[in-house]
Amino acid sequence: MISLLSLTVSVAFAQSGTIRGQLTSSETGEELIGATVVIKGTSNGTATDLDGKFNLTNIKPGTYEVQASYISYEPKTVTGVVVKENEVTVLNIPLGAATTKLKEVVIEGRAIKSSENNLRNTQKKAAVVMDGVSAEQFSRSGDSDAAAALTRVTGISLEGSKYVYVRGLGDRYVKTSLNGAEVPGLDPNRNTVQMDLFPSNLLDNLTVSKTFTPDMPGSFSGGFVNITTKDFPDRFTMQFSTSVGYNDQASLNGKFLSSNKGELDWLGFDNGTRAVPDEVNYTVPFASFTNKQDAERIDEATKAFNTEMGPVRRTAPLNHSHSFSLGNQTEVFGRQLGYVVGLSYQRNYSYYDNGTFGLWELNSVGAEGLNNNSLFEDERGVEEVSLGFLANFAYKLNSNNKVSLNLIRNQSGNNSSRFLFGTFPATSGVYDDRAIFQSRALHYTQRALSSAQLKGEHVLPGFKNSKIDWLTSFTLSQQDEPDLRFFANDYYVNGTDTTYRIQPAAYTLPARFFRNLDETNLDVKVNIETPFTIWNGLEAKTKFGAAALVKDRKFRENIYRYRFNDGYGYNGSIENFFAPANLGVVARPSDAESGGIYRYGVYLQDGSQRTNNYDGEEAIYAGYGMIDLPLSEKLRLVTGARVEVTDIFVESFNKSLEPGELNQIDLLPSVNATYSLTEKMNLRAGYSRTLARPNFREIAPYTSFDFIGEPAFTGNADLERTTIDNFDARWEWYPSLGEFFGVSAFYKNFQNPIERTINTLAQNNEIFIQNVDNAKVYGLEFEVNKRLSFISSRLDNFIVSSNLSLIKSEVSIKPLELEQIRAVRPDADDTRPLFGQSPFVANASLTYQNDLLGFVATANYNVFGDRISAISVGGTPNIYERSRPIASLVVSKRLGDSFTAKVSADNIFNPDFVNSHEYNGQEYIYSSYKQGRTFVVGITYLVN
């Protein structure tokens, strides 16, 4: 890095300026390779490289005319190009296809297009139905990570502030890539990526392809999300941002629920504070009354662990975030080297004490209401830390060959402390305040994503300027949950007497869980694209490629449970329960009161189950061929097919369980047609077949749980993959730069969709996974992005952006499940909506942008319709995540040439986050809480 900076400085001392830019086709948006760029009246000229970029150096300060020309395109001269000493002038030039009579077009020099305008141009020229959001929009909307930014895209909503749903489809139906390489998820129970891992300041744009072409992975239906990290700039750029935020429920709250932490928690790492003690390097044996070695090991292990098993209260500080990025181009060995380096850090606190958590069941025909299995008050404090690093390097070997290296590391830590308090009839059969259940959880999750991507791009001039691009990406994702602690008890009040108990028959004993997930991804792909001229004189392209994706996952879980003997039970104080005198061996055979045996008070026992540990391997091999065929100047056809070979194997450490296996070969055809009604208006239609696979955890046949009182999760080794037939159509209009109108329609038919179900009839509630026969999803999308100057010239600085998705879905219910439902609800339908699918998703924003004053203000609004968050079994109505409005306001002001101040208000309405059943017109709360409003003040320093 020092050498790069020194080279940058040496260039800066040269007494001349530089002109850099890119030549593209105004019709297709593609780069023009080998075009000529010269400064009129001089001998200074060059040819564009494989990216269509040019670099004119050693130019004396002054004002020039720059001429660009290319075979079959109208030449263009840009006048008034100002070159300053020691500075880089950026000049991007679109060339139009030549008419019968060639003529030169002269234009005035102007500023580079914004990222948002470039994104709209990419969308317009794409072969598929595509939407996206740019870095310019991130900043305008105040979005801190990729998850928040994606909510601005048509048809997109979030689950849990991190999981993306496209057109109401989530999890397995959305595929995510990072610079074109697949990204593994960090949640063992999910089939998608946690998008909050990617800080927005390290990103250039996010695109969502809603239709499939054969050069994409075939495992999506809702959308293919590509995260594009920052590319190196055309000139030296440095940016530093810092901000502080206040949440009206968490910040400076002295009642914030927390736990004792390690010294590196502030960096998103556990420093070993929560690790299994070094002394416990053995399997803790079962209690023995006569074996000295076993007794001493139990005693040692019990006393080695800390005794913090419940939350503590602290004062939460203010939220804060900081970011830094640096980029430039320079020369190494006479060749261009571009680089960008970025760092980001965020630390946020959230808290609620207004929550509700309940479990309900319908257990008889004609019941007036649902039977309450438990109803708790819910309190939770969460501290989240996110640390991100990005380094991108690109080196041009010559004008036809380029290699690049992308390095990414994202680290996050989530420290959650939770307390549930309320009625749990299973403990005593009493529903009122005389019998109370209490449950505590201390949960720290450490996530890490490390990725190295090596890419190459090559042009073969001797073979019709064919392009070869290849990518090799290695990603390591890790999720560590060290010392996940649970402590539950109940108490019964009888007059002035209170009896405290821990009842293993009703709920689990106090326990400590240690979970670790490691997954490696090796993604290799190569593409070859060859242009050729067809019968009508237009240029077509063929594209062939191959890809291999190999995953390896290891999941490990160790469980330690606390048992106790008579006289050492819980008396209402966790501190007393774990008092040193009560721990481990309390009497040895040599003690008079021992009766000649080892006696235990509160002691540790290994509760690990081999069933809960598994290894998984997945290999996806693919090959494809496609053609991009302009049948006429207005009609473009892109068609082809992809073959994917799937091999998934998951095996539990319990060899008596059947391994989960999936072996399949799929042919995935695709046809996309685009008809240009006018130069600014397109009509699109497409058909494709795609698929969705179960994840490792879903076909790992064992049961696990996250929190006492919540349902356990059980995998299914017999799951099949889902196939989806997709039909899409869109009308789109780009009236002027950055503006857009669009109307889309889609229909999707699913065979063997994978659904989650809550079995309320089991002894303990559990979530299990299964295939159902068929599902259908169809809907309409509307989008507009328009300046309001058409109403009045006084409104030229106002931009309105809004989109609406209307979606309908149906899933067939299996006969056995339907029989169970109709046993208590005889009039129940034989279909239901798809899991996680909202009937509508709406986004709106209004921006005032005054470039002269450097002032931008944006109001954002987002809302989705009620959607199923859990599917019940046995007649109990499904759980729905209820609609809620989310609104924010962001205002920024440029201060001088380099500083920008920003203030924002998020979650202005502070709605309830509610999941609930509905029965006989009455709502039954499964979970409910408020997140609080957040107010942020920040400043950015930019050198460009």
Side-chain angles (χ1 to χ4, degrees), residues 777-818:
V777 178
Y778 49 94
L780 297 171
E781 294 176 331
F782 306 88
E783 182 177 3
V784 59
N785 192 75
K786 177 69 177 170
R787 287 189 177 272
L788 299 185
S789 54
F790 71 95
I791 299 175
S792 168
S793 59
R794 297 179 180 179
L795 300 177
D796 184 55
N797 292 330
F798 287 90
I799 305 169
V800 63
S801 179
S802 63
N803 56 69
L804 171 66
S805 298
L806 303 175
I807 307 166
K808 176 76 172 177
S809 69
E810 288 184 0
V811 178
S812 59
I813 300 175
K814 285 198 167 185
L816 180 59
E817 183 182 351
L818 185 61

Side-chain angles (χ1 to χ4, degrees), residues 2 7 64 134 245-246 255 272 328 335 351 386-387 412 580 644 694 817 844 851 877 923:
I2 292 174
L7 284 166
Y64 296 90
S134 67
Y246 175 82
K255 299 191 303 178
N328 199 4
R335 304 295 182 186
Y351 170 79
S386 176
L387 182 65
S412 72
E644 291 197 351
E817 183 182 351
D851 294 332
E923 186 176 31

Side-chain angles (χ1 to χ4, degrees), residues 609-811:
Q609 300 181 32
R610 295 179 62 81
T611 299
N612 293 14
N613 296 267
Y614 69 90
D615 290 332
E617 297 176 353
E618 177 180 321
I620 310 294
Y621 301 102
Y624 75 89
M626 58 184 288
I627 186 169
D628 187 343
L629 196 63
L631 298 177
S632 69
E633 291 187 354
K634 289 182 173 291
L635 180 60
R636 176 187 182 189
L637 181 71
V638 179
T639 185
R642 183 181 184 93
V643 175
E644 291 197 351
V645 180
T646 302
D647 185 6
I648 303 176
F649 182 82
V650 181
E651 187 173 31
S652 167
F653 277 26
N654 183 349
K655 302 304 180 183
S656 66
L657 294 176
E658 177 189 358
E661 289 188 80
L662 182 61
N663 298 287
Q664 195 78 39
I665 299 177
D666 290 285
L667 176 64
L668 308 173
S670 168
V671 180
N672 287 279
T674 304
Y675 185 78
S676 298
L677 298 169
T678 69
E679 185 179 344
K680 298 181 178 182
M681 191 180 298
N682 291 330
L683 186 63
R684 301 180 184 271
Y687 162 78
S688 64
R689 169 166 285 192
T690 55
L691 55 87
R693 302 179 179 95
N695 65 30
F696 286 123
R697 177 61 189 89
E698 289 170 339
I699 59 175
Y702 73 85
T703 300
S704 63
F705 78 101
D706 286 331
F707 193 78
I708 295 171
E710 290 189 339
F713 180 86
T714 300
N716 180 356
D718 297 321
L719 285 178
E720 300 178 17
R721 60 93 173 90
T722 304
T723 58
I724 310 106
D725 290 302
N726 309 276
F727 301 86
D728 292 87
R730 171 186 272 187
W731 169 83
E732 56 189 31
W733 178 34
Y734 302 83
S736 60
L737 197 63
E739 296 185 338
F740 176 73
F741 290 87
V743 179
S744 304
F746 60 90
Y747 175 87
K748 300 177 183 293
N749 185 47
F750 298 74
Q751 295 298 323
N752 298 318
I754 300 169
E755 292 285 288
R756 296 188 175 207
T757 300
I758 288 187
N759 185 3
T760 57
L761 300 179
Q763 182 177 359
N764 297 307
N765 288 320
E766 67 179 45
I767 297 173
F768 66 93
I769 201 87
Q770 64 177 358
N771 289 106
V772 296
D773 294 334
N774 181 265
K776 295 179 174 63
V777 178
Y778 49 94
L780 297 171
E781 294 176 331
F782 306 88
E783 182 177 3
V784 59
N785 192 75
K786 177 69 177 170
R787 287 189 177 272
L788 299 185
S789 54
F790 71 95
I791 299 175
S792 168
S793 59
R794 297 179 180 179
L795 300 177
D796 184 55
N797 292 330
F798 287 90
I799 305 169
V800 63
S801 179
S802 63
N803 56 69
L804 171 66
S805 298
L806 303 175
I807 307 166
K808 176 76 172 177
S809 69
E810 288 184 0
V811 178

Side-chain angles (χ1 to χ4, degrees), residues 27-229:
E27 280 78 23
T28 67
E30 294 183 345
E31 63 275 2
L32 300 179
I33 302 170
T36 301
V37 182
V38 297
I39 300 175
K40 272 194 170 183
T42 74
S43 60
N44 197 340
T46 188
T48 57
D49 62 17
L50 75 169
D51 293 318
K53 292 187 176 182
F54 62 90
N55 187 37
L56 297 169
T57 59
N58 299 320
I59 306 170
K60 292 182 179 180
T63 302
Y64 296 90
E65 296 182 2
V66 177
Q67 185 183 55
S69 59
Y70 190 58
I71 297 173
S72 300
Y73 283 80
E74 292 180 346
K76 182 178 290 186
T77 297
V78 182
T79 64
V81 180
V82 178
V83 176
K84 297 181 180 179
E85 186 177 306
N86 302 331
E87 292 189 9
V88 175
T89 299
V90 179
L91 187 66
N92 292 326
I93 307 174
L95 295 184
T99 56
T100 304
K101 182 179 179 181
L102 290 177
K103 61 179 180 179
E104 184 175 13
V105 179
V106 179
I107 62 172
E108 293 293 322
R110 57 184 176 83
I112 184 173
K113 290 182 181 180
S114 70
S115 295
E116 183 176 358
N117 291 332
N118 287 337
L119 185 64
R120 286 296 180 192
N121 188 58
T122 301
Q123 178 183 12
K124 178 182 176 182
K125 305 303 180 184
V128 297
V129 174
M130 190 189 81
D131 293 305
V133 59
S134 67
E136 179 183 344
Q137 291 168 289
F138 303 164
S139 175
R140 204 165 60 197
S141 301
D143 300 319
S144 61
D145 56 52
L150 279 168
T151 61
R152 316 299 170 195
V153 178
T154 306
I156 285 190
S157 59
L158 291 182
E159 178 200 348
S161 301
K162 62 184 68 173
Y163 297 110
V164 173
Y165 279 67
V166 181
R167 290 175 163 175
L169 299 170
D171 207 14
R172 76 196 74 259
Y173 302 116
V174 176
K175 177 65 68 177
T176 301
S177 68
L178 181 66
N179 299 316
E182 184 166 329
V183 185
L186 293 175
D187 187 333
N189 296 330
R190 305 297 293 260
N191 203 22
T192 188
V193 176
Q194 298 162 324
M195 298 298 291
D196 62 330
L197 268 176
F198 302 96
S200 59
N201 73 293
L202 301 183
L203 308 181
D204 253 357
N205 61 66
L206 299 161
T207 58
V208 183
S209 299
K210 296 178 178 178
T211 55
F212 166 73
T213 53
D215 54 349
M216 298 178 184
S219 52
F220 77 91
S221 177
F224 177 56
V225 180
N226 188 45
I227 304 167
T228 304
T229 56

Side-chain angles (χ1 to χ4, degrees), residues 31 50-51 179-181 393-406 452-460 466-473 523-529 543-544 546 624:
E31 63 275 2
L50 75 169
D51 293 318
N179 299 316
F393 304 91
Y395 187 63
K396 291 184 179 175
L397 303 172
N398 53 47
S399 59
N400 294 320
N401 297 278
K402 181 178 76 170
V403 293
S404 58
L405 175 66
N406 299 334
Q453 300 176 347
L454 183 64
K455 299 190 289 185
E457 299 174 50
H458 314 276
V459 173
L460 307 178
S466 293
K467 297 180 186 178
I468 299 177
D469 65 86
W470 53 268
L471 177 148
T472 300
S473 172
D523 193 359
V524 180
K525 56 185 67 175
V526 61
N527 304 292
I528 303 173
E529 183 180 273
K543 191 173 184 181
F544 299 91
Y624 75 89

Side-chain angles (χ1 to χ4, degrees), residues 441-579:
L442 305 179
H443 190 183
Y444 184 80
T445 304
Q446 176 180 306
R447 298 179 293 167
L449 180 72
S450 306
S451 176
Q453 300 176 347
L454 183 64
K455 299 190 289 185
E457 299 174 50
H458 314 276
V459 173
L460 307 178
F463 192 61
K464 299 182 179 181
N465 274 348
S466 293
K467 297 180 186 178
I468 299 177
D469 65 86
W470 53 268
L471 177 148
T472 300
S473 172
F474 180 81
T475 304
L476 171 63
S477 62
Q478 299 167 294
Q479 179 165 289
D480 191 14
E481 297 173 274
D483 208 4
L484 166 56
R485 285 158 278 179
F486 300 109
F487 191 101
N489 68 273
D490 66 277
Y491 64 84
Y492 184 79
V493 179
N494 186 10
T496 58
D497 296 329
T498 302
T499 303
Y500 290 91
R501 299 171 299 188
I502 295 176
Q503 299 189 67
Y507 47 86
T508 188
L509 288 163
R512 316 179 87 113
F513 287 66
F514 294 82
R515 294 172 175 168
N516 180 264
L517 180 148
D518 289 336
E519 182 174 321
T520 58
N521 268 35
L522 178 62
D523 193 359
V524 180
K525 56 185 67 175
V526 61
N527 304 292
I528 303 173
E529 183 180 273
T530 303
F532 63 98
T533 303
I534 59 174
W535 63 88
N536 55 15
L538 299 176
E539 184 179 279
K541 296 175 186 175
T542 60
K543 191 173 184 181
F544 299 91
L549 174 66
V550 179
K551 298 182 183 181
D552 183 84
R553 174 183 287 189
K554 300 182 185 301
F555 181 80
R556 302 293 181 265
E557 179 183 75
N558 292 319
I559 306 172
Y560 300 93
R561 302 191 190 279
Y562 285 99
R563 296 188 176 275
F564 56 92
N565 287 312
D566 291 343
Y568 296 92
Y570 180 67
N571 64 1
S573 169
I574 294 179
E575 183 178 351
N576 291 341
F577 184 74
F578 288 107

Side-chain angles (χ1 to χ4, degrees), residues 213-429:
T213 53
D215 54 349
M216 298 178 184
S219 52
F220 77 91
S221 177
F224 177 56
V225 180
N226 188 45
I227 304 167
T228 304
T229 56
K230 282 191 177 299
D231 200 359
F232 56 87
D234 289 311
R235 55 190 171 206
F236 177 78
T237 301
M238 182 179 70
Q239 177 176 298
F240 173 75
S241 298
T242 186
S243 67
V244 294
Y246 175 82
N247 180 278
D248 61 8
Q249 289 183 186
S251 302
L252 308 181
N253 185 345
K255 299 191 303 178
F256 184 80
L257 217 56
S258 185
S259 62
N260 292 326
K261 299 182 292 184
E263 294 177 354
L264 297 180
D265 275 24
W266 67 280
L267 288 175
F269 294 88
D270 176 67
N271 67 342
T273 298
R274 303 174 180 87
V276 175
D278 293 337
E279 305 95 300
V280 189
N281 57 2
Y282 49 81
T283 300
V284 180
F286 289 104
S288 173
F289 300 104
T290 57
N291 186 302
K292 179 179 179 181
Q293 182 181 14
D294 287 353
E296 295 301 338
R297 282 193 163 189
I298 292 171
D299 186 66
E300 180 184 44
T302 303
K303 294 175 179 176
F305 283 92
N306 67 68
T307 57
E308 184 195 6
M309 293 293 289
V312 297
R313 297 197 182 273
R314 304 181 186 277
T315 298
L318 296 174
N319 298 338
H320 51 98
S321 66
H322 319 279
S323 65
F324 174 80
S325 61
L326 174 73
N328 199 4
Q329 287 189 38
T330 187
E331 289 192 358
V332 176
F333 304 119
R335 304 295 182 186
Q336 275 185 284
L337 173 70
Y339 65 89
V340 62
V341 177
L343 290 169
S344 71
Y345 177 81
Q346 297 179 45
R347 194 174 188 181
N348 297 315
Y349 298 83
S350 60
Y351 170 79
Y352 64 79
D353 60 1
N354 48 26
T356 300
F357 180 81
L359 293 175
W360 305 86
E361 181 183 356
L362 178 62
N363 50 21
S364 63
V365 178
E368 292 185 4
L370 301 185
N371 184 57
N372 177 230
N373 289 338
S374 62
L375 186 61
F376 305 134
E377 296 179 18
D378 187 5
E379 181 181 8
R380 191 178 216 167
V382 179
E383 177 185 355
E384 295 179 285
V385 173
S386 176
L387 182 65
F389 168 76
L390 166 76
N392 288 352
F393 304 91
Y395 187 63
K396 291 184 179 175
L397 303 172
N398 53 47
S399 59
N400 294 320
N401 297 278
K402 181 178 76 170
V403 293
S404 58
L405 175 66
N406 299 334
L407 302 174
I408 295 170
R409 168 75 178 196
N410 286 327
Q411 180 77 34
S412 72
N414 182 297
N415 189 32
S416 171
S417 301
R418 190 178 183 188
F419 179 58
L420 292 179
F421 173 94
T423 59
F424 190 6
T427 62
S428 59

